[in-house]
C-alpha cells in the first residue's frame, strides 16, 4: 500500500462487512496491519472473521486479503540457481492427513527445494505443526537464513508462521479455529496462499479435500474453493494447480499427532507402530470409516484445541486396524486408541463404533481418491 493512510474505526469496518458491503484495498490493508500489530482486539478480529464467513468476499477483496497477509511479514528469497525448483504442496486438510510429512523429503530426494510453511490443527483437521511438535525438541520456528541453510543441506523444511513470517496468518488462524470461522473460501484462500506467497515458490500443487472428513463435505463447494485458490495463487505469480480429492475416510491408519509421525516414518523407513487399546465390531465388509466421530472423540481426549493457544496432548491418537473393502468378523479389533484418561466412556465407545460402516462387498466405493484437476483458466 502507498499514499495517504486511511483512518477507519474497527466497529465501522466490521459493520460494513457484516452488512454485506465490499471492503476497499485500503480497508483490508488497515485491518490486516492492525491484526499484525495487535492494535485490534481479539473480539473485533473474531467479529470481522464471522462477518467475512457470513458475507463472503468478492475475488478482488480475497486477492487484497491474501496479498496483505503475505506482506504482513518477510518474503523468503532464494539463490538464482534454485529458480524453477522451489515448490510446495498444501492440503486443505482432513482426518489423518499426514501426507506432507513423507512428501516433503520425497520431493527433496528428487532435487526440489521445499520451504513448507504449515499450520496447526484447524477445526477437526490435524495440523502438520502439532504433529511435528510431538517429536521432542522439534523446532518449527526458523529464521530465514536458517531456512536457506536447511534447504541447502537437506532440501526441505516444515516451519510455522511466526512474528516475521506471515504473522497475520498466525493470528487469524488461531482465532478462526476458536470462532468456528474456518470453512470460508476467502479466509482459507488468504491463509493458504499468503503462506505460499511468502515462500516465493515457483510452483504449487493444492490438494483440496472434500467429503465426510474434510472441511467441505461436497465436491461443488470444494471446486469453488479450488478455483479461488488457483486464481489467487496464479495472480500472485505462483504457477498453481489443484486436485480435488475425496476424503470420506481417514488417510492411512493413524489419526493423532505422535501416531501420524510414526506412520509417516514407517512410510519412509518401514518401521512398525506400537501399543494397544482395542474396540470390537461386527460381521461384514468395511464400507467406510467416518473421520468426524474419530476426530471428535480424540479432541475430547485432548488431541485438539477449543481455545486459541491451548496445550494439546500429542500422544492422543488412533490407529485403524482395518481399511475400506476389508472383511471383518464379529470380535475383530478395528481401531486402537492411544489415550491417557482412565478409560474411554461407554458413550465415547458407542460414538466411535458409529464411525465404522459395515455392509456387503458389492457396496464398496473403490473409485479413485483424486476426482478432478483444477488448472488456471
Ligand atoms: N490450511 C491453511 O493453511 N489454512 C486454512 O485455512 C486451511 C488449510
Amino acid at each position: 500500500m502507498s499514499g495517504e493512510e486511511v483512518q477507519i474505526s474497527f466497529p465501522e469496518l466490521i459493520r460494513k462487512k457484516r452488512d454485506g458491503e465490499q471492503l476497499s484495498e485500503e480497508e483490508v490493508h488497515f485491518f490486516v496491519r492492525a491484526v499484525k500489530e495487535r492494535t485490534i482486539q481479539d473480539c473485533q478480529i473474531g467479529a470481522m472473521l464471522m462477518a467475512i464467513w457470513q458475507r463472503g468476499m468478492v475475488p478482488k477483496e480475497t486477492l487484497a486479503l491474501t496479498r496483505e497477509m503475505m506482506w504482513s511479514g518477510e518474503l523468503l528469497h532464494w539463490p538464482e540457481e534454485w529458480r524453477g525448483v522451489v515448490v510446495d504442496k498444501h492440503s486443505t486438510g482432513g482426518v489423518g492427513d499426514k501426507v506432507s510429512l513423507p512428501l516433503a523429503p520425497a520431493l527433496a530426494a528428487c532435487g526440489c527445494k521445499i520451504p513448507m510453511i504449515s499450520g496447526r490443527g484447524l477445526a477437526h483437521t490435524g495440523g502438520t505443526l502439532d504433529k511435528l511438535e510431538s517429536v521432542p525438541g522439534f523446532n518449527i520456528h526458523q529464521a530465514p537464513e536458517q531456512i536457506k541453510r536447511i534447504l541447502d543441506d537437506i532440501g526441505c523444511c516444515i516451519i510455522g508462521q511466526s512474528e516475521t513470517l506471515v504473522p497475520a496468518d498466525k493470528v487469524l488462524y488461531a482465532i478462526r479455529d476458536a470462532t468456528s470461522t474456518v470453512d470460508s473460501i476467502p479466509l482459507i484462500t488468504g491463509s493458504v496462499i499468503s503462506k505460499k506467497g511468502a515462500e516465493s515458490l515457483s510452483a504449487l500443487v493444492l490438494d483440496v479435500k472434500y467429503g465426510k472428513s474434510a472441511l467441505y463435505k461436497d465436491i461443488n463447494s470444494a471446486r469453488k474453493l479450488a478455483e479461488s485458490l488457483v486464481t489467487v495463487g496464479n495472480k500472485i505469480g505462483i504457477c498453481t494447480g489443484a486436485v480435488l480429492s475425496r476424503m470420506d475416510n481417514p488417510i492411512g491408519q493413524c489419526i493423532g499427532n505422535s501416531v501420524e509421525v510414526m506412520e509417516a516414518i514407517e512410510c519412509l523407513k518401514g518401521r512398525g507402530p506400537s501399543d494397544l487399546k482395542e474396540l470390537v465390531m461386527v460381521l461384514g465388509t468395511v464400507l467406510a470409516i467416518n473421520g468426524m466421530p474419530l476426530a471428535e472423540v480424540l479432541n475430547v481426549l485432548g488431541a485438539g484445541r477449543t481455545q486459541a493457544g491451548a496445550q494439546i496432548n500429542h500422544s492422543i491418537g488412533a490407529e485403524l486396524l482395518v481399511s475400506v473393502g476389508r472383511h471383518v468378523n464379529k470380535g475383530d479389533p478395528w481401531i486402537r486408541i492411544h489415550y491417557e484418561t482412565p478409560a474411554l466412556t461407554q458413550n465415547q465407545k458407542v460414538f466411535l463404533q458409529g464411525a465404522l460402516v459395515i455392509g456387503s462387498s458389492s457396496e464398496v466405493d473403490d473409485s479413485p481418491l483424486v476426482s478432478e484437476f483444477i488448472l488456471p483458466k
Side-chain angles (χ1 to χ4, degrees):
M1 291 295 312
S2 61
E4 287 280 293
E5 282 290 336
V6 272
Q7 267 313 318
I8 315 151
S9 87
F10 297 130
E12 170 55 14
L13 209 59
I14 296 164
R15 182 215 55 78
K16 231 180 140 175
K17 192 74 260 182
R18 183 201 67 192
D19 292 351
E21 293 174 40
Q22 283 179 31
L23 302 182
S24 66
E25 281 183 22
E26 287 79 7
E27 287 166 334
V28 173
H29 169 75
F30 180 76
F31 171 66
V32 174
R33 197 187 59 183
V35 168
K36 177 210 161 160
E37 292 175 354
R38 306 309 306 257
T39 50
I40 179 171
Q41 293 178 323
D42 282 2
C43 60
Q44 293 173 315
I45 300 176
M48 177 60 98
L49 291 172
M50 188 55 83
I52 296 173
W53 188 92
Q54 293 279 1
R55 294 297 193 165
M57 280 182 146
V58 298
K60 220 169 92 186
E61 285 176 292
T62 306
L63 179 62
L65 176 70
T66 309
R67 285 199 167 122
E68 292 298 337
M69 288 174 71
M70 172 176 94
W71 288 329
S72 68
E74 286 180 40
L75 305 189
L76 297 171
H77 295 292
W78 310 118
E80 185 52 32
E81 63 269 23
W82 291 4
R83 185 187 284 272
V85 300
V86 184
V87 300
D88 199 358
K89 86 97 208 182
H90 198 94
S91 160
T92 56
V95 179
D97 185 352
K98 79 277 294 167
V99 172
S100 293
L101 300 181
L103 182 66
L107 287 171
C110 301
C112 298
K113 303 286 183 196
I114 308 96
M116 189 183 289
I117 306 179
S118 217
R120 297 195 178 281
L122 255 194
H124 65 277
T125 70
T128 303
L129 300 180
D130 294 324
K131 291 171 200 183
L132 288 170
E133 281 188 340
S134 70
V135 177
F138 196 100
N139 182 4
I140 56 155
H141 296 299
Q142 303 290 342
E145 321 77 67
Q146 183 63 7
I147 296 170
K148 155 92 183 16
R149 270 197 292 276
I150 296 171
L151 292 197
D152 239 346
D153 275 0
I154 60 169
C156 65
C157 67
I158 303 183
I159 46 171
Q161 316 97 316
S162 65
E163 272 62 48
T164 46
L165 275 181
V166 268
D169 185 53
K170 185 176 158 85
V171 177
L172 294 177
Y173 199 94
I175 298 182
R176 282 168 62 210
D177 191 36
T179 54
S180 275
T181 51
V182 171
D183 51 341
S184 147
I185 290 179
L187 295 178
I188 299 175
T189 303
S191 170
V192 171
I193 303 297
S194 63
K195 289 194 278 291
K196 305 300 118 178
E199 292 174 22
S200 304
L201 296 176
S202 304
L204 169 66
V205 175
L206 297 159
D207 184 3
V208 180
K209 305 282 188 201
Y210 69 93
K212 295 194 186 78
S213 301
L215 289 180
Y216 286 101
K217 309 299 173 209
D218 67 287
I219 192 166
N220 292 331
S221 317
R223 191 181 293 111
K224 282 193 193 126
L225 170 60
E227 282 166 359
S228 169
L229 289 162
V230 167
T231 304
V232 175
N234 283 285
K235 282 224 160 95
I236 66 158
I238 304 172
C239 177
T240 307
V243 295
L244 292 182
S245 64
R246 192 161 50 81
M247 210 209 181
D248 290 326
N249 306 296
I251 296 180
Q253 293 181 292
C254 294
I255 305 130
N257 294 304
S258 303
V259 285
E260 289 192 39
V261 172
M262 277 156 37
E263 191 175 46
I265 293 171
E266 185 187 347
C267 172
L268 287 166
K269 290 192 174 170
R271 292 199 193 121
S274 60
D275 207 35
L276 89 145
K277 295 274 182 204
E278 290 172 352
L279 295 171
V280 171
M281 227 23 259
V282 291
L283 181 76
T285 298
V286 179
L287 296 183
I289 302 164
N290 291 327
M292 289 302 284
L294 305 186
E296 281 170 35
V297 169
L298 294 177
N299 278 351
V300 170
L301 292 176
R305 296 182 183 81
T306 50
Q307 294 197 321
Q311 284 295 319
I312 57 172
N313 185 337
H314 292 112
S315 65
I316 306 294
E319 288 172 71
L320 301 176
L321 307 177
V322 297
S323 50
V324 171
R326 219 194 84 181
H327 190 76
V328 285
N329 291 313
K330 193 169 172 74
D332 282 350
W334 67 274
I335 191 166
R336 178 180 294 147
I337 305 287
H338 298 249
Y339 61 93
E340 285 184 354
T341 45
L344 287 177
T345 65
Q346 195 51 32
N347 276 353
Q348 286 170 332
K349 285 186 188 172
V350 170
F351 197 54
L352 282 173
Q353 300 284 43
L356 189 69
V357 184
I358 301 290
S360 84
S361 55
S362 60
E363 298 168 88
V364 172
D365 178 359
D366 56 3
S367 57
L369 290 183
V370 173
S371 326
E372 276 179 43
F373 294 92
I374 310 278
L375 296 170
K377 296 204 172 95

